[in-house]
Amino acid sequence: MEIQITRAGSGQLKPKPADESRLGFGDIFSDHMFLMDFESEKGWFNARIEPYGNISIDPAAMGIHYGQEIFEGLKAYRAMDRGIHLFRAKENFKRFNRSAVRLCMPDVDIESAMEGMKKLILLDKDWIPKSEGTSLYIRPTMLANEPHLGVRPSRSYVFFIIIGPVGAYYKEGLNPVKIYVEDKYIRAALGGTGEAKAAGNYATSLLAAEEAKEKGFTQVLWLDAAERKYIEEVGTMNMFFFIGDEVITAPLTGSILPGVTRDSVLQIVKQWGMKVSERSLSIDEVIEASKNGNLKEAFGTGTAAVISPVGQITYNGEDHIVAGGKMGELSQKLYDEIVAIQYGTKPDPYGWVERID
Ligand code: COI
């Protein structure tokens, strides 16, 4: 694939964050972006890297009106030896194409999209932060841009990748978060779009999250749509519970996001010889385990958050403190293991890391 590169002029270059210890998530973007266009008669064309900036969208663009928008989230890391690492990047692009199928959008050629991403990262490599706990967040996105108001799949799309330095996703960092078990609203039903990384899933989650935030919670824990009984996910993370000697996470039945970090955790704990189950887990079982002292830990997993320990679960007006409100041993060990592989401070027995520079 030929990629046209237009470099930002020296007057367009932005100042890099002065203090990496204060990086939050999702506000700072590098100097360039990758784009390509799709038309049904032509396929993908016009692959290019340009200075980061506004893109022009017709106000009748179908993605704005009917929500054909999908995205991914992955990271590049400045390794300890100063190399640049990607972590399981291909998995994100495969998931992107699965999301595209669900939303009636065209798939991308994974090798070409990854080539565009790598060129962009290398061009803006000085934007990759160097301190511990920081990384370069990568956001591939596709939006329907045909100007048309009838409801049908769009015939044209724009694909772009933007990148920017990030620190911790939650303001808590690695400190445990408080989660509210949502029993009024639902995120996704079986047969819906829950397993796609579609913008609409996030819009659906906002009201519950805002109400929970007002009550002092970081996130909501979604239950299944049919019975409001089984654990689903947190919306920005998949969830794991360590009960007795079993590490449990919800199965991929179609309503939750198949997380790359979720899969990595499953592989690691299996490798450690622990008992691990992808099974339906009711909120009643979690609360029961909490009451009888069997709930050892709960934590979320996600690209943005990595491992986020849960210190409190609130359900039916009752607060349940998990792991004494601290980061549990397993959560810490998993965080250390994943981060060590990502930054290359430990060998990568899984072949997850790709070095691009
Ligand atoms: C990620 O973990 O990368 C995500 O995309 C979740 C969230 C920031 C929307």
Side-chain angles (χ1 to χ4, degrees):
M1 184 182 59
E2 205 196 313
I3 302 175
Q4 188 78 38
I5 299 181
T6 311
R7 283 169 181 267
S10 52
Q12 287 171 295
L13 298 177
K14 295 180 276 189
K16 306 205 172 51
D19 182 358
E20 288 186 357
S21 69
R22 294 181 50 194
L23 279 174
F25 181 89
D27 298 313
I28 303 171
F29 301 98
S30 73
D31 289 318
H32 297 89
M33 59 187 182
F34 173 83
L35 299 111
M36 56 185 179
D37 298 311
F38 179 92
E39 281 173 18
S40 39
E41 318 79 60
K42 282 194 187 166
W44 290 105
F45 64 102
N46 197 15
R48 61 206 186 271
I49 290 175
E50 292 178 355
Y52 184 96
N54 291 351
I55 57 173
S56 169
I57 296 283
D58 192 296
M62 298 182 78
I64 297 174
H65 297 273
Y66 306 126
Q68 271 185 302
E69 196 270 12
I70 57 170
F71 67 94
E72 267 305 323
L74 64 157
K75 284 175 172 172
Y77 306 84
R78 176 64 74 181
M80 289 308 154
D81 64 359
R82 295 286 163 241
I84 301 170
H85 285 180
L86 290 173
F87 183 74
R88 307 192 72 185
K90 205 170 194 168
E91 297 306 313
N92 290 88
F93 283 94
K94 286 192 207 156
R95 186 173 66 187
F96 188 79
N97 277 346
R98 293 199 299 274
S99 300
V101 169
R102 183 63 183 83
L103 277 283
C104 288
M105 300 167 84
D107 58 0
V108 294
D109 175 63
I110 293 182
E111 295 308 324
S112 307
M114 285 186 60
E115 187 192 331
M117 172 183 73
K118 288 176 195 172
K119 284 218 160 87
L120 174 65
I121 295 170
L122 292 177
L123 183 62
D124 280 350
K125 67 180 177 189
D126 291 344
W127 282 88
I128 307 175
K130 297 177 182 65
S131 334
E132 203 185 311
T134 65
S135 54
L136 185 83
Y137 190 72
I138 305 163
R139 176 53 65 92
T141 308
M142 194 199 310
L143 179 69
N145 62 1
E146 182 189 345
H148 176 68
L149 292 187
V151 179
R152 58 156 174 76
S154 173
R155 292 179 187 134
S156 64
Y157 297 85
V158 59
F159 171 89
F160 59 84
I161 301 176
I162 52 175
I163 57 179
V166 298
Y169 183 74
Y170 294 119
K171 69 171 176 9
E172 287 89 343
L174 266 189
N175 294 319
V177 295
K178 284 188 193 177
I179 56 176
Y180 179 81
V181 182
E182 180 56 62
D183 53 8
K184 184 163 70 165
Y185 305 110
I186 57 132
R187 174 182 173 274
L190 284 182
T193 58
E195 67 182 342
K197 208 157 173 65
N201 290 336
Y202 296 82
T204 310
S205 74
L206 295 176
L207 182 57
E210 284 305 293
E211 290 183 10
K213 253 181 226 158
E214 266 167 40
K215 295 182 203 133
F217 297 92
T218 316
Q219 276 288 329
V220 302
L221 174 60
W222 297 103
L223 299 178
D224 75 286
E227 296 182 69
R228 307 280 201 283
K229 190 171 166 193
Y230 296 101
I231 306 287
E232 295 257 308
E233 58 158 79
V234 162
T236 47
M237 305 189 290
N238 293 113
M239 276 303 298
F240 283 78
F241 295 84
F242 186 21
I243 299 179
D245 65 350
E246 186 186 13
V247 180
I248 310 163
T249 194
L252 301 178
T253 49
S255 57
I256 68 167
L257 193 82
V260 176
T261 314
R262 172 190 179 279
D263 182 72
S264 308
V265 165
L266 286 173
Q267 291 194 46
I268 291 171
V269 290
K270 265 182 215 155
Q271 175 69 26
W272 285 345
M274 296 181 77
K275 181 175 171 195
V276 44
S277 314
E278 291 174 80
R279 67 165 174 90
S280 297
L281 173 66
S282 69
I283 184 64
D284 292 337
E285 186 180 338
V286 172
I287 299 304
E288 183 57 34
S290 168
K291 285 187 174 151
N292 64 26
N294 274 337
L295 175 61
K296 292 185 184 148
E297 293 181 38
F299 55 90
T301 63
T303 295
V306 196
I307 300 285
S308 178
V310 172
Q312 181 184 318
I313 298 174
T314 296
Y315 180 53
N316 272 343
E318 275 183 36
D319 297 339
H320 302 271
I321 303 300
V322 187
K326 302 203 178 69
M327 184 162 194
E329 217 175 287
L330 177 63
S331 314
Q332 182 73 56
K333 208 173 142 200
L334 278 164
Y335 176 83
D336 292 344
E337 180 77 5
I338 293 173
V339 164
I341 293 174
Q342 289 169 336
Y343 291 86
T345 54
K346 232 183 158 171
D348 165 23
Y350 306 95
W352 286 338
V353 165
E354 183 188 350
R355 190 184 168 119
I356 59 167
D357 190 35

